Short mmCIF file of all heavy atoms in Angstrom, two decimals:
data_model
loop_
_atom_site.label_atom_id
_atom_site.label_comp_id
_atom_site.label_asym_id
_atom_site.label_seq_id
_atom_site.Cartn_x
_atom_site.Cartn_y
_atom_site.Cartn_z
N GLN B 167 53.93 295.56 161.03
CA GLN B 167 54.23 296.93 160.61
C GLN B 167 52.98 297.63 160.12
O GLN B 167 52.68 298.76 160.50
CB GLN B 167 55.28 296.92 159.48
CG GLN B 167 56.65 296.46 159.92
CD GLN B 167 57.29 297.46 160.87
OE1 GLN B 167 57.35 298.65 160.59
NE2 GLN B 167 57.77 296.99 162.01
N LEU B 168 52.23 296.91 159.29
CA LEU B 168 50.99 297.46 158.76
C LEU B 168 50.05 297.83 159.89
O LEU B 168 49.44 298.90 159.91
CB LEU B 168 50.33 296.40 157.86
CG LEU B 168 48.93 296.74 157.34
CD1 LEU B 168 49.04 297.71 156.17
CD2 LEU B 168 48.18 295.51 156.92
N PHE B 169 49.96 296.95 160.85
CA PHE B 169 49.02 297.10 161.95
C PHE B 169 49.38 298.27 162.86
O PHE B 169 48.53 298.99 163.34
CB PHE B 169 49.01 295.79 162.74
CG PHE B 169 47.65 295.38 163.22
CD1 PHE B 169 46.62 295.16 162.32
CD2 PHE B 169 47.40 295.19 164.56
CE1 PHE B 169 45.38 294.79 162.75
CE2 PHE B 169 46.15 294.81 165.00
CZ PHE B 169 45.13 294.60 164.09
N TYR B 170 50.68 298.43 163.13
CA TYR B 170 51.09 299.40 164.15
C TYR B 170 51.78 300.63 163.59
O TYR B 170 52.08 301.56 164.33
CB TYR B 170 52.00 298.72 165.18
CG TYR B 170 51.24 297.72 166.00
CD1 TYR B 170 51.36 296.36 165.77
CD2 TYR B 170 50.35 298.15 166.98
CE1 TYR B 170 50.63 295.45 166.50
CE2 TYR B 170 49.61 297.25 167.72
CZ TYR B 170 49.75 295.90 167.48
OH TYR B 170 49.00 295.01 168.19
N ARG B 171 52.05 300.68 162.26
CA ARG B 171 52.82 301.80 161.74
C ARG B 171 52.12 302.57 160.63
O ARG B 171 52.66 303.54 160.13
CB ARG B 171 54.17 301.31 161.18
CG ARG B 171 55.09 300.68 162.20
CD ARG B 171 55.99 301.70 162.86
NE ARG B 171 56.85 301.05 163.84
CZ ARG B 171 56.49 300.86 165.12
NH1 ARG B 171 55.30 301.25 165.54
NH2 ARG B 171 57.30 300.26 165.96
N THR B 172 50.94 302.11 160.20
CA THR B 172 50.32 302.79 159.06
C THR B 172 48.94 303.33 159.44
O THR B 172 48.35 302.92 160.44
CB THR B 172 50.13 301.83 157.87
OG1 THR B 172 49.17 300.84 158.24
CG2 THR B 172 51.42 301.15 157.49
N ALA B 173 48.44 304.22 158.60
CA ALA B 173 47.10 304.78 158.81
C ALA B 173 46.05 303.69 158.69
O ALA B 173 45.07 303.66 159.45
CB ALA B 173 46.83 305.89 157.81
N LEU B 174 46.27 302.77 157.76
CA LEU B 174 45.32 301.68 157.60
C LEU B 174 45.28 300.82 158.87
O LEU B 174 44.21 300.45 159.35
CB LEU B 174 45.70 300.82 156.39
CG LEU B 174 44.80 299.62 156.13
CD1 LEU B 174 43.38 300.06 155.80
CD2 LEU B 174 45.35 298.75 155.00
N GLY B 175 46.47 300.54 159.40
CA GLY B 175 46.55 299.73 160.62
C GLY B 175 45.84 300.43 161.79
O GLY B 175 45.18 299.80 162.61
N ARG B 176 45.99 301.76 161.84
CA ARG B 176 45.31 302.55 162.86
C ARG B 176 43.81 302.38 162.72
O ARG B 176 43.09 302.18 163.69
CB ARG B 176 45.69 304.02 162.65
CG ARG B 176 45.89 304.78 163.90
CD ARG B 176 46.84 305.93 163.72
NE ARG B 176 46.55 306.76 162.56
CZ ARG B 176 47.49 307.38 161.84
NH1 ARG B 176 48.76 307.25 162.18
NH2 ARG B 176 47.16 308.12 160.82
N ALA B 177 43.35 302.45 161.47
CA ALA B 177 41.91 302.29 161.22
C ALA B 177 41.47 300.87 161.60
O ALA B 177 40.38 300.68 162.16
CB ALA B 177 41.60 302.57 159.76
N PHE B 178 42.30 299.87 161.32
CA PHE B 178 42.00 298.49 161.71
C PHE B 178 41.78 298.42 163.22
O PHE B 178 40.80 297.88 163.70
CB PHE B 178 43.18 297.56 161.37
CG PHE B 178 43.21 297.12 159.94
CD1 PHE B 178 44.36 296.51 159.42
CD2 PHE B 178 42.13 297.27 159.10
CE1 PHE B 178 44.42 296.08 158.11
CE2 PHE B 178 42.18 296.85 157.77
CZ PHE B 178 43.33 296.26 157.28
N ARG B 179 42.73 298.99 163.95
CA ARG B 179 42.66 298.87 165.42
C ARG B 179 41.49 299.66 165.98
O ARG B 179 40.79 299.19 166.87
CB ARG B 179 43.98 299.32 166.05
CG ARG B 179 45.08 298.25 165.92
CD ARG B 179 46.39 298.74 166.50
NE ARG B 179 47.01 299.76 165.67
CZ ARG B 179 47.70 300.78 166.14
NH1 ARG B 179 47.86 300.93 167.43
NH2 ARG B 179 48.24 301.65 165.32
#
Side-chain angles (χ1 to χ4, degrees):
Chain B
Q167 292 293 310
L168 173 79
F169 219 59
Y170 292 104
R171 297 271 179 273
T172 66
L174 179 63
R176 218 153 49 213
F178 279 166
R179 283 178 288 145

